[in-house]
């Protein structure tokens, strides 16, 4: 699914109005009806609803939503902020359809709000181009202080869809945002979360042919896109034909990372795994994962030598960052031309010696968390700038990189970012990244294109975490629990 700019969404509105054809007022009514349906799914109890409307089209949506809720028996209070005479034509049309409303012009006009009320924000939409000022700011500050349930229509007032909030600017802080047709870039970024809450999309029937032609660097991964990627096996398949992988991992005190990575790789379908570990980890691996074959990495407590291999290669979990391990990695990189997977300390070794990045085989996969990525690519001013850093780094070095976190940003070598919709905070636990890396390595070994291996691995990792939460609940989940739910996650995808 494409993530479009505010300008592109406005153009999609206009194209739909012209070519469906449908009047702008009827399109507003259709969007409002869809909002109300979603609202009723979320709210079963008929509590008082207080809707704050600006005088633009977002306010028109708010007025229409209020009218529709009243028709369904809800107690609705409409408040207009601004001069109605200066409103948009569609706002004015919906104002005429509204029975009762109050015009607010100063702080003393603001209504009392109880914890049992519901607030709906319809002050400003995605067309806002400057920070909230004056009475509008005072209204939003007042609403943000309330502890009742809050909703935003399309996007919270004051929040920009495609750029960061200026310093000292404010925006409405909803519990839920019901957004029209396509997601906004801001929805995927940590710094914007207080102004988004939990968001859901509402299909309002914008022209799909127009949307399909729009250019963008940003997408949200969808199940229909992921499902066909999973590798299948024929009746006479041999273990050597379904994914051979060499995992280079572990050091003294960090052998658990190597174990988790290896177990996850097997669960994701790897047919044969060699694990290169230091001497201190040989017995640990052979006891913990008897299916794996173990290679002596020569060093006692850290890996000093890595053999060349024709198998897919995964480097990094629990590896440590000693000079001898770095030298072994450099030697491996100079002898390998096929894409590999680099994670954790493998990334930290690249960050310590940046010249190693140039040795990475093109189309390789990196799986950093934000701290590792910052060491690798440098800092950023804000989350929007972070995405540009990710795009620039991936394009420059021709690498597939996932920046892990909520809505993990999966970037291909052309700088396209696909945000992952699965996963939850329970995955923020030690070893979770090692599990993901093993999964991605196994998919790469089974013949998937590197970006598809990364995209599918990230999706399944999050999906397994979601299934684990439904049975075990947060925060009592370990990374090893996620491995146990991988077969269920794979099954649910393959059933598509």
């Amino acid at each position: 699914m494409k993530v479009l700019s505010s300008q592109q969404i406005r153009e999609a509105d206009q194209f739909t109005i012209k070519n469906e054809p449908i009047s702008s007022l009827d399109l507003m009514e259709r969007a409002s009806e869809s909002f109300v349906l979603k609202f009723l799914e979320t709210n079963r109890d008929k509590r008082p609803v207080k809707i704050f409307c600006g005088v633009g089209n977002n306010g028109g949506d708010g007025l229409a939503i209020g009218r529709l809720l009243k028709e369904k028996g809800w107690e609705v209070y409409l408040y207009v902020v601004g001069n109605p005479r200066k409103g948009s034509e569609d706002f004015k049309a919906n104002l005429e359809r509204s029975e009762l409303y109050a015009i607010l012009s100063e702080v003393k006009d603001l209504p009392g709000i109880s914890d049992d009320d519901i607030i709906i924000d319809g002050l400003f939409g995605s067309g806002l181009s400057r920070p909230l000022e004056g009475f509008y700011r005072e209204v939003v500050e007042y609403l943000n202080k309330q502890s009742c349930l809050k909703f935003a229509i399309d996007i919270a007032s004051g929040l920009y869809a495609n750029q960061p909030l200026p310093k000292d600017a404010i925006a409405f802080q909803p519990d839920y945002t019901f957004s029209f047709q396509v997601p906004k870039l801001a929805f995927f970024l940590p710094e914007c979360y207080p102004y988004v809450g939990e968001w859901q999309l509402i299909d309002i029937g914008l022209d799909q042919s127009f949307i399909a032609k729009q250019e963008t660097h940003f997408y949200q991964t969808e199940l229909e896109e992921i499902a066909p990627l999973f590798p299948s096996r024929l009746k006479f398949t041999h273990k050597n034909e379904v994914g051979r992988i060499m995992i280079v991992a572990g050091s003294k005190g960090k052998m658990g990372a190597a174990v988790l990575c290896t177990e996850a790789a097997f669960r994701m379908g790897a047919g044969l795994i060699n694990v290169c570990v230091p001497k201190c980890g040989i017995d640990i691996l052979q006891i913990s994962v008897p299916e794996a074959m173990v290679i002596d990495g020569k060093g006692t407590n850290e890996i000093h030598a890595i053999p060349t291999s024709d198998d897919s290669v995964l480097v990094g979990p629990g590896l440590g960052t000693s000079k001898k391990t770095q030298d072994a990695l450099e030697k491996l990189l100079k002898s390998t031309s096929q894409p590999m997977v680099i994670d954790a300390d493998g990334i930290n070794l690249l960050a310590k010696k940046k010249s190693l990045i140039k040795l990475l085989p093109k189309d390789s996969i990196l799986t950093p968390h934000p701290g590792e990525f910052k060491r690798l690519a440098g800092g950023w001013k804000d989350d929007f700038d972070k995405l540009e850093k990710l795009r620039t780094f991936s394009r420059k070095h021709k690498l597939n990189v996932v920046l892990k976190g909520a809505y993990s940003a999966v970037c291909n070598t052309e700088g396209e970012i696909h945000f992952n919709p699965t996963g939850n905070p329970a995955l923020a636990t030690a070893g979770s990244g090692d599990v993901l890396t093993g999964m991605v390595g196994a998919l790469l070994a089974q013949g998937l294109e590197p970006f598809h291996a990364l995209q599918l691995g990230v999706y399944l990792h999050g999906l397994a975490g979601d299934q684990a939460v439904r049975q075990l609940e947060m925060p009592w989940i370990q990374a090893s629990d996620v491995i146990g739910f991988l077969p269920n996650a794979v099954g649910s995808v393959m059933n598509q």
Side-chain angles (χ1 to χ4, degrees), residues 451-471:
F451 177 71
H452 288 158
L454 180 58
Q455 190 182 24
L456 179 58
V458 171
Y459 189 95
L460 289 169
H461 181 257
L463 186 59
D466 290 340
Q467 294 180 351
V469 163
R470 284 195 284 272
Q471 293 196 34

Side-chain angles (χ1 to χ4, degrees), residues 4-11 126-127 155 160-162 184:
L4 301 181
S5 68
S6 298
Q7 179 62 32
Q8 288 173 312
I9 296 170
R10 285 194 293 273
E11 291 172 357
S126 59
I155 188 170
Y160 301 146
N162 309 103
K184 280 69 172 173

Side-chain angles (χ1 to χ4, degrees), residues 16 26 39 48 62 110 126 190 233 253 262 278 316 318 331 393 408 415 467:
T16 302
D26 287 342
F39 180 85
L110 291 170
S126 59
R233 296 189 180 187
T262 305
K331 185 176 180 181
F393 182 86
S408 291
Q467 294 180 351

Side-chain angles (χ1 to χ4, degrees), residues 422-423 427 431-433 435-437 439 456-466 482 486 489:
T422 61
L427 293 173
S432 179
V435 172
L436 171 62
T437 305
M439 294 169 62
L456 179 58
V458 171
Y459 189 95
L460 289 169
H461 181 257
L463 186 59
D466 290 340
V482 176
L486 287 180

Side-chain angles (χ1 to χ4, degrees), residues 47-122:
R47 297 152 60 185
V49 178
K50 296 183 176 178
I51 306 177
F52 293 79
C53 306
V55 296
N57 283 351
N58 197 247
D61 291 329
L63 293 172
I65 289 166
R67 169 171 43 82
L68 293 168
L69 285 174
K70 281 185 178 181
E71 291 173 358
K72 295 182 180 298
W74 286 65
E75 181 182 351
V76 178
Y77 300 86
L78 296 173
Y79 303 97
V80 175
V81 183
N83 186 347
R85 291 192 298 272
K86 296 182 179 180
S88 69
E89 292 305 313
D90 290 342
F91 166 83
K92 291 177 181 178
N94 271 301
L95 192 64
E96 290 180 4
R97 296 176 178 180
S98 301
E99 295 177 357
L100 295 172
Y101 57 88
I103 298 175
L104 309 179
S105 57
E106 52 185 325
V107 172
K108 69 180 181 61
D109 298 332
L110 291 170
I113 298 173
S114 76
D115 290 352
D116 291 330
D117 291 340
I118 296 175
I119 292 172
I120 297 180
D121 162 37

